[in-house]
Amino acid sequence: MSAPKKTSQEPAHHPEEAARWFNQWHVYQAIVDANWMAHREIFNAVRTWVLLRYPGPFTLLDLGCGDAGFITSTFDETGLWAYTGIDASQAALVKARSELAGARFQVELREADMLAYLRADSSSAAKTCDVILASYAVHHLPVQEKHEFFRLAHGKLAPRGSLLYADVFRRDGETREQYLEAYVGMMRRDWAGMPLESLASTTQHVMQRDFPESIEALAAMAREAGFQEPRELYRDATGFHRLLAFTKEAGA
């Protein structure tokens, strides 16, 4: 299979383009089911964090919630009492409504671009939340919008709030082009069982829409927005898939 043409220049943020790919939900579901992006380990680490940090009731804003497939199992027997899921994919939200139909906590689902939602909601200090979860969503944003994401997320969180940031990352010293070559190579080598058509579609999506950062770059953006230094809660063996926790208060 020939490699798609690489695009090094960041595009403008077009949430409808990402939503169009995620509307092929069976492709992303196959990735999750096979655990190729370490969703199970990441959500286990999320659960451990909230159990330790939030023994009482807390609220959760899930940006890029997808089908919310891990939410019930992750937050069962925690203090979660109100959940808001935001996603630009209508197909994903249809599945999320079914997934969360019997949840013991309050559920609100909205079809929206996560950045547009944060911008619209930024003027209401009364609508702060305790935890923001952003899972495999922010790496699609251009750099300036990543800066804006951290600023808006910081303003949305309550004083002891946490931003739990799961995503793909560039490793130490890796350029975007080097990341793309390594990540696509890993997909073709390790994602055994994915149909060739789905692999081609996913590869094209990665080459065109993935603009991940290093931990150092993200930490600088977060500090600029007012967050403390991140804590790495999980990193898989490849170093691509990680979970970071950003908090508003030192030592929190």
Side-chain angles (χ1 to χ4, degrees):
M1 187 189 337
S2 61
K5 183 178 179 181
K6 295 180 182 179
T7 304
S8 59
Q9 185 178 2
E10 286 191 331
H13 177 43
H14 296 298
E16 66 277 4
E17 293 185 12
R20 189 159 39 246
W21 185 80
F22 282 103
N23 281 335
Q24 308 173 63
W25 197 250
H26 66 285
V27 177
Y28 190 68
Q29 191 62 55
I31 294 170
V32 173
D33 288 346
N35 204 39
W36 287 320
M37 296 175 71
H39 284 79
R40 293 173 201 157
E41 292 82 359
I42 284 170
F43 278 92
N44 281 340
V46 167
R47 177 178 173 83
T48 298
W49 175 264
V50 299
L51 283 171
L52 290 172
R53 185 173 176 81
Y54 302 102
F58 68 93
T59 57
L60 172 66
L61 173 61
D62 190 358
L63 298 172
C65 66
D67 68 356
F70 283 90
I71 295 302
T72 300
S73 59
T74 299
F75 295 100
D76 183 39
E77 298 180 359
T78 73
L80 178 62
W81 70 270
Y83 170 88
T84 302
I86 308 298
D87 205 282
S89 169
Q90 186 179 45
L93 291 176
V94 168
K95 293 182 177 294
R97 288 188 184 94
S98 175
E99 186 74 29
L100 299 172
R104 59 168 184 77
F105 43 83
Q106 298 177 25
V107 173
E108 180 181 4
L109 297 171
R110 293 195 194 181
E111 183 180 346
D113 168 56
M114 64 178 182
L115 212 51
Y117 173 83
L118 288 174
R119 288 168 183 153
D121 212 40
S122 62
S123 61
S124 177
K127 292 185 177 180
T128 57
C129 59
D130 298 303
V131 180
I132 293 176
L133 175 63
S135 175
Y136 292 114
V138 181
H139 69 278
H140 296 303
L141 299 177
V143 168
Q144 288 307 310
E145 293 191 354
K146 290 188 179 93
H147 280 274
E148 184 181 13
F149 167 81
F150 279 104
R151 179 178 61 80
L152 292 172
H154 186 273
K156 181 68 176 171
L157 284 168
R160 290 196 72 255
S162 304
L163 168 61
L164 298 179
Y165 184 106
D167 219 326
V168 287
F169 288 80
R170 284 155 47 183
R171 285 86 57 93
D172 291 346
E174 202 169 46
T175 66
R176 178 176 182 262
E177 288 71 22
Q178 290 168 334
Y179 160 84
L180 290 173
E181 182 176 0
Y183 197 89
V184 170
M186 179 271 298
M187 290 165 59
R188 291 174 174 167
R189 182 183 66 250
D190 296 343
W191 292 16
M194 175 173 271
L196 290 179
E197 182 179 352
S198 297
L199 181 61
S201 171
T202 306
T203 298
Q204 191 72 24
H205 175 79
V206 167
M207 301 291 284
Q208 294 179 347
R209 307 304 305 173
D210 275 22
F211 290 88
E213 307 291 342
S214 66
I215 283 185
E216 293 76 14
L218 286 174
M221 294 180 196
R223 283 195 303 270
E224 181 183 276
F227 283 105
Q228 303 299 313
E229 290 295 322
R231 305 183 199 184
E232 187 175 75
L233 304 183
Y234 176 76
R235 177 193 303 203
D236 78 347
T238 70
F240 288 128
H241 310 112
R242 310 184 192 191
L243 172 67
L244 305 182
F246 296 92
T247 59
K248 296 184 73 166
E249 298 176 352

